[in-house]
Amino acid sequence: MTTTSTSTDEVMDYDEAIARFDPVMGLEVHVELNTATKMFCGCATAFGAPPNSQVCPVCLGLPGALPVVNATAVESAIRIGLALHCEIAPWCRFARKNYFYPDMPKNFQTSQYDEPISFDGWLDVEVEDGAGGTEIFRVEIERAHMEEDTGKSLHIGGATGRIQGADYSLVDYNRAGIPLIEIVTKPIAGAGERAPEVARAYVSALRDLMRALDVSDVKMEQGSMRCDANVSLRVRAGDGPTSAAQLDVPLGTRTETKNVNSLRSVERAVRYEIARHAAVLAGGGSILQETRHWHEDTGVTTSGREKSDAEDYRYFPEPDLVPVAPSRERVEALRQTLPEPPAERRRRLQTDWGYSDLEMRDVVNAGALELIEQTVALGASAQAARKWWLGEPSRRANGAAQDLVAYAAQLGFAPADVAALEGMVVAGRLNDSMARQVLDGVLDGEGHPVQVADARGLELVQDDAALEAAVEQVIAANPDVADKIRGGKAQAAGALIGQVMKATKGQADAGKARELILAKLQ
Ligand code: ADP
Ligand code: MG
Ligand code: ZN
């Protein structure tokens, strides 16, 4: 193992790095499929089960055990390939990738090598164009192949959780054999300074797509989606963004930052590697082709292991599995099951809901799209649904460092609650500030909106006599304001409405109070 650089690596100012060099990226994303059973055996795949409770002779690699391909996993692989605009191989095989690691009980990983199930596709991703709008960047896909996950090692006793410094290690094979799809891009050039943003947008678009296909949980924090980010730099051929001529310039040496496990980290890791490569190259050094580890806390990468292109995995076709040969009819039938592409769906919903670009971006960033869609389906207006979800619930979810969907689910706070809350506003039972109090109560676990409104006695004064009495009292107490209104200054009514609200402890209908005041003073 060679270490040429440490965590005290020099980095160049990012803008300077981009002015001098052209970044090229390659993203390898592993997606764990959400099948009920593993890729080649009937073991369960539930996350968080007791260690080594979901294993059998096949996924433990015991002598004589024979694998059988999971048909649902193959179906998901084909649907993923189609959604990525790939060609689907009419015939392909699995291959053994031989290497030794304790978390891999068979000492080889059943994967695909030169015969991937799908290849040559693309995915369009949206990036900001710097003028408040968005722009499309097309990422070319090299291949998306099937393989199986490894087990998980747990290093006990060290400070970092890494093997260095640990007293001993444990291994859990529950994950060994869970179906994975590895999606590999072609080298991504031409993104220039936006390379880190494109990397993040790509992983994010891929995550949306997997969700829409319903083939994976895609939880980066749980490892059901993981990204390795390859980065290299080329000296700029000319001024401005990468010119066509740049296509002829050979690629620089790449590093591969492994297992980056959040969207934000993908962006940061790529940005860091660009700045680090630039410092090395500008200083006359050369980049070592190696894997790197990303450190979330310090925001740097450190050297992993040296990795040549010609690593000898002694790949050979898996003799225990039959080839996968989906008929064209089968592939076309699966194409019919593809969902509306996420970006198109967002555009359709934005039009239906009449949101501005900014409103839509906030909704997407808050992860509230599905929640709002369901709330609108239950009768709330799109603006009201957005207002309620992006208000207190989002604030509390952020405070708890949870995403909104998970936060709401855990609380049992559903689109039906938001629809009921808004229903009370529309029906004139609650005004806005009362509705906020009800929402607070619901989020504090006091019950459903109607229960909370009942329990807290929140109800607009509908009783005209009581409202009229309050109005008369306020007019009598403010003769000069009343005179102004009589004199034609209707906007002065605001001051009186405020006092009516105060007198009724906020339970009056402000619109009705205004009508009454004006009727009495004209
Ligand atoms: P490995 O087996 O080393 O992981 P892969 O072919 O699986 O190799 O993935 C390498 C990734 O890096 C691909 O996305 C590829 O397009 C990309 N890539 C290859 N060469 C370069 C380079 N010089 N700079 C940046 N990315 C590269
Ligand atoms: Mg790879
Ligand atoms: Zn098993």
Side-chain angles (χ1 to χ4, degrees):
M1 193 176 293
T2 319
T3 305
T4 51
S5 42
T6 66
S7 53
T8 55
D9 283 323
E10 291 211 26
V11 292
M12 186 184 280
D13 169 70
Y14 184 75
D15 293 334
E16 192 189 339
I18 291 297
R20 297 179 57 174
F21 300 97
D22 172 38
V24 176
M25 299 184 289
L27 300 167
E28 302 169 64
V29 174
H30 284 92
V31 175
E32 239 179 46
L33 298 181
N34 59 4
T35 51
T37 57
K38 292 187 180 180
M39 188 75 208
F40 304 112
C41 63
C43 287
T45 54
F47 182 78
N52 298 307
S53 62
Q54 296 173 347
V55 293
C56 75
V58 174
C59 56
L60 287 177
L62 300 187
L66 283 175
V68 177
V69 176
N70 181 331
T72 310
V74 173
E75 222 161 67
S76 294
I78 294 173
R79 292 178 71 237
I80 290 170
L82 290 170
L84 291 170
H85 314 93
C86 286
E87 309 228 4
I88 306 301
W91 189 93
C92 65
R93 283 179 297 189
F94 287 96
R96 289 190 181 184
K97 180 180 183 180
N98 296 280
Y99 65 100
F100 174 78
Y101 203 75
D103 66 14
M104 214 178 47
K106 298 189 295 191
N107 283 337
F108 63 85
Q109 181 186 30
T110 308
S111 181
Q112 294 196 288
Y113 182 48
D114 49 357
E115 299 169 351
I117 187 146
S118 54
F119 50 93
D120 281 348
W122 50 267
L123 181 64
D124 279 346
V125 305
E126 281 179 21
V127 285
E128 288 175 25
D129 65 3
T134 52
E135 203 175 293
I136 302 290
F137 191 96
R138 177 159 295 187
V139 174
E140 309 273 349
I141 308 290
E142 167 91 38
R143 64 179 194 272
H145 70 247
M146 300 182 282
E147 58 185 36
E148 58 179 337
D149 213 342
T150 58
K152 234 179 194 166
S153 304
L154 214 64
H155 306 295
I156 312 291
T160 58
R162 292 186 189 278
I163 195 164
Q164 294 85 354
D167 296 329
Y168 60 95
S169 298
L170 297 170
V171 64
D172 175 6
Y173 290 122
N174 283 352
R175 201 178 68 178
I178 289 188
L180 284 183
I181 303 296
E182 179 175 348
I183 302 162
V184 183
T185 69
K186 295 185 178 168
I188 305 169
E193 63 174 344
R194 290 192 305 189
E197 195 197 330
V198 166
R200 179 195 180 123
Y202 168 73
V203 178
S204 168
L206 212 48
R207 192 178 65 168
D208 288 349
L209 187 61
M210 297 303 128
R211 270 204 196 118
L213 286 162
D214 195 19
V215 292
S216 170
D217 308 339
V218 282
K219 287 189 178 149
M220 294 188 82
E221 68 286 1
Q222 287 184 1
S224 55
M225 181 173 189
R226 315 193 277 273
C227 175
D228 300 338
N230 295 267
V231 171
S232 69
L233 296 185
R234 295 184 290 184
V235 176
R236 248 186 209 297
D239 294 335
T242 315
S243 56
Q246 194 78 350
L247 296 175
D248 305 332
V249 178
L251 299 184
T253 303
R254 68 184 157 113
T255 53
E256 178 180 352
T257 304
K258 303 292 282 181
N259 289 333
V260 192
N261 65 359
S262 74
L263 293 179
R264 183 166 169 266
S265 302
V266 169
E267 182 166 358
R268 291 173 75 206
V270 167
R271 195 180 168 94
Y272 177 83
E273 278 296 282
I274 290 173
R276 189 185 66 83
H277 281 214
V280 171
L281 296 173
S286 54
I287 297 293
L288 179 70
Q289 184 159 327
E290 61 178 355
T291 65
R292 311 269 309 173
H293 298 293
W294 168 247
H295 302 274
E296 183 63 45
D297 46 350
T298 47
V300 304
T301 64
T302 53
S303 183
R305 68 190 160 95
E306 207 174 327
K307 192 176 177 185
S308 69
D309 281 320
E311 243 171 335
D312 190 4
Y313 287 122
R314 294 174 293 125
Y315 276 105
F316 64 86
E318 166 62 58
D320 287 344
L321 287 166
V322 292
V324 175
S327 71
R328 293 298 93 180
E329 295 73 42
R330 185 89 195 96
V331 171
E332 287 318 306
L334 287 170
R335 198 190 296 279
Q336 298 310 310
T337 71
L338 294 186
E340 181 182 17
E344 265 172 45
R345 171 160 175 265
R346 281 198 297 273
R347 278 191 287 275
R348 173 175 60 79
L349 290 175
Q350 183 178 355
T351 308
D352 286 356
W353 295 344
Y355 288 177
S356 69
D357 289 348
L358 193 66
E359 286 171 340
M360 192 64 185
R361 195 175 308 160
D362 286 347
V363 164
V364 170
N365 289 343
L369 203 68
E370 281 73 30
L371 294 168
I372 290 177
E373 193 178 22
Q374 290 159 24
T375 308
V376 169
L378 291 167
S381 75
Q383 284 301 346
R386 184 183 62 81
K387 177 181 84 176
W388 294 124
W389 279 112
L390 265 49
E392 197 56 22
S394 286
R395 260 193 297 282
R396 292 196 190 201
N398 272 338
Q402 267 186 314
D403 67 57
L404 185 58
V405 172
Y407 169 79
Q410 189 189 317
L411 211 67
F413 179 66
D417 292 315
V418 175
L421 182 72
E422 177 60 15
M424 286 191 284
V425 174
V426 172
R429 169 169 181 180
L430 302 179
N431 62 20
D432 200 65
S433 97
M434 290 166 141
R436 281 173 210 281
Q437 293 174 52
V438 170
L439 182 56
D440 282 341
V442 175
L443 297 176
D444 286 342
E446 291 171 23
H448 291 295
V450 176
Q451 291 169 319
V452 174
D454 288 349
R456 292 193 176 195
L458 290 167
E459 173 123 43
L460 283 173
V461 174
Q462 299 287 356
D463 174 357
D464 288 349
L467 182 58
E468 200 158 341
V471 166
E472 269 166 14
Q473 184 200 331
V474 167
I475 289 175
N478 297 276
D480 38 338
V481 183
D483 278 343
K484 275 191 198 158
I485 298 172
R486 278 194 198 94
K489 281 201 169 161
Q491 69 270 32
L496 298 188
I497 296 168
Q499 295 202 33
V500 171
M501 298 306 284
K502 213 164 155 190
T504 57
K505 299 200 174 63
Q507 307 213 334
D509 179 332
K512 234 177 202 173
R514 182 187 165 81
E515 273 170 32
L516 266 176
I517 291 167
L518 293 179
K520 285 184 185 297
L521 296 177
Q522 274 167 1

